[in-house]
Amino acid sequence: MKKEAKLLFDKAMNSLVLSIDHFNRPWDRGRTDAVLIFLNHAFEMLLKAAILHRGGRIREKREKQTIGFDACVRRSLSGQSSFLTDEKAMTLQTINSLRDAAEHHLVDLSEQHLAIQMMAGLTMFREICGSVFGKDVSSTLPKRAIAVSTTAPVDIATLFAHEIDEVRKLLKPGRRRVLEAQAKLRGLAIVESSVHGVRVQPSEGELAELGKAAAAGKPWDAMFPGIASMSFTSRGFGPSLDLRFSKKDGIPIVIVPEHTPGAAVVAIKRVNELEFYSLGRDQVAAKIGLSGPRTTALIRYTGIKGDSECFKRIQLGSAFFDRYSQKAITRLLEEKRRVDMAEVWARCGNANASK
């Protein structure tokens, strides 16, 4: 192994051990955050070591910094250094997005959810070490460093149904623990977004809408259709437990074009246009914090109706509906920060723009 690759591999192992250590600690202070942060760091170091070991580069020409997490995943999926499958990439971007929320804001994972992410991560770490470096992780870990949980893994349907039940309890009249409910929903929404190839963290408005849907009794698989398209398999037990996330049969995974704003690397391919173009104009307005007419003006100004990844006019029976995707939210928020809305309204408001 090349010297730099070996040093990165050693860092990866150190962070993996620390993630396992925090997972197994008998107290909960900072536990979830530490597990996710160290697990994410372990994978970034492992991917960089593997790319170098396969003859790839982890620095762009004339750049001082090495490439980031998403670029590591992308290079590990294609080219001379490729060693990841699409489903492994999806698991990695889920861990990375959960780490973002843990490090920069709030996220609350149940013990079951954290255990599944930890076990899936450890399984994948072990597989990459074996396929790329020919190393057995168990031989390099301390004998006591085993990720264990007193709660057996459950299937995704059971896990998320239970999570939504917990959210409903938090939102019951008389309790209304909204922040705790949103922290729990954030973890679920992050997994859903990762499945769809979206890296943008859920907004307060989106979490509020999910909370309303949960309180109204909406089924979890209708709230999170992307997650419902996934499953996981497990075999073995203890240190030999293998746990893998996978897509259900017949559902394709696609690589998202590089430099797509707010996007991750891979995504479940959309098979239902109403799920992909899930937002009407008023919903878009609520998410970007503008009135309906000013949102229309910004849509005209940016021209996003010409982008098929942002907009589509969908026919239902004899009626037509203008529908927008989550990517449209990202585009409009970027433009809103960049432009003078007074100028946008003057140029593209109802009184000044052609229909």
Side-chain angles (χ1 to χ4, degrees), residues 210-230:
L210 287 172
K212 290 177 183 177
K218 190 173 184 179
W220 78 268
D221 52 352
M223 295 172 60
F224 303 108
I227 297 169
S229 69
M230 302 295 289

Side-chain angles (χ1 to χ4, degrees), residues 272-289:
N272 184 334
E273 288 186 331
L274 284 175
E275 289 180 3
F276 185 78
Y277 302 101
S278 60
L279 305 168
R281 195 283 309 267
D282 291 343
Q283 291 169 300
V284 172
K287 290 179 183 295
I288 67 173

Side-chain angles (χ1 to χ4, degrees), residues 186-216:
R186 185 175 287 108
L188 308 185
I190 286 169
V191 177
E192 174 74 9
S193 296
S194 296
V195 169
H196 286 293
V198 177
R199 278 193 56 82
V200 180
Q201 295 283 320
S203 68
E204 296 299 312
E206 289 171 323
L207 294 176
E209 288 298 316
L210 287 172
K212 290 177 183 177

